[in-house]
Amino acid sequence: MQANRTQRITTVLAMLLAGAIIVHAGVLDGTKLKVKVVPTKAAADNGAKEFVDELIFADGKCTSTALSQKGFKQAKYSAEVEPNEAEFEIELVSATNGVVVWTGEIRGTNTLGGLQWMQEGRSNRMYEFSGAKE
C-alpha cells in the first residue's frame, strides 16, 4: 500500500514539474521582436532573399508582420521560459505559400534562431534570424 502511495506522489510531482518547465501558453504575450532574417547560402543560391520582420506575441498567438503580407495567418506558439531567457516555436501556415516554422530563443533583450520555409514544389528554404526585443 505504501509503495503505491509513494508511486502516485512521485508521478504527480513529476507531472507538476514538467508542466511548470515545458510550455506556458501566452507567456510571451506582449513581446515584440524585430529581426533580420537571412537565408543560408543554399537557400540564397535558390533565390531566397533576406528580409526584416517583426514577431508580435499576443493572446497566446504570434503574428509575423512580413509573412502576414504573404498570406501566413497568426498561430499559437509554444514557449519554455526561465529567468532572463525563453525558447519558442511557431508554425505559420499560408493557403498559397506553404508552412514556415520559427524556432528561436530570447536571452535578455536579444533573440536568435532559425526559420524553415516549406512550400510544395520547392526545396525547403532555411534561414537564420537575429534581432532584439522592442
Side-chain angles (χ1 to χ4, degrees):
M1 181 80 124
Q2 183 65 24
N4 285 340
R5 183 170 184 259
T6 303
Q7 229 174 359
R8 284 194 310 262
I9 290 172
T10 303
T11 301
V12 168
L13 288 174
M15 288 170 34
L16 288 172
L17 181 60
I21 292 175
I22 296 179
V23 176
H24 298 286
V27 75
L28 294 178
D29 285 2
T31 301
K32 291 183 182 180
L33 304 174
K34 182 84 166 195
V35 294
K36 181 177 181 181
V37 185
V38 180
T40 62
K41 182 176 179 344
D45 290 346
N46 284 321
K49 305 286 184 212
E50 74 177 52
F51 60 96
V52 173
D53 203 351
E54 185 176 46
L55 299 176
I56 302 169
F57 297 86
D59 300 322
K61 296 181 179 180
C62 182
T63 300
S64 160
T65 58
L67 295 178
S68 65
Q69 297 171 15
K70 296 185 179 296
F72 287 91
K73 304 294 183 199
Q74 70 174 355
K76 290 183 180 180
Y77 66 87
S78 61
E80 181 180 322
V81 177
E82 296 176 18
N84 296 318
E85 69 179 84
E87 295 178 357
F88 63 88
E89 184 170 321
I90 313 149
E91 182 176 302
L92 302 176
V93 178
S94 166
T96 56
N97 286 304
V99 177
V100 169
V101 177
W102 295 83
T103 307
E105 63 181 51
I106 304 167
R107 292 184 185 258
T109 59
N110 297 316
T111 187
L112 60 91
L115 177 149
Q116 181 178 10
W117 191 333
M118 300 160 281
Q119 192 172 6
E120 192 173 323
R122 299 179 99 171
S123 60
N124 289 350
R125 291 171 279 171
M126 304 297 289
Y127 298 77
E128 294 178 349
F129 67 87
S130 62
K133 278 185 179 181
E134 288 191 327

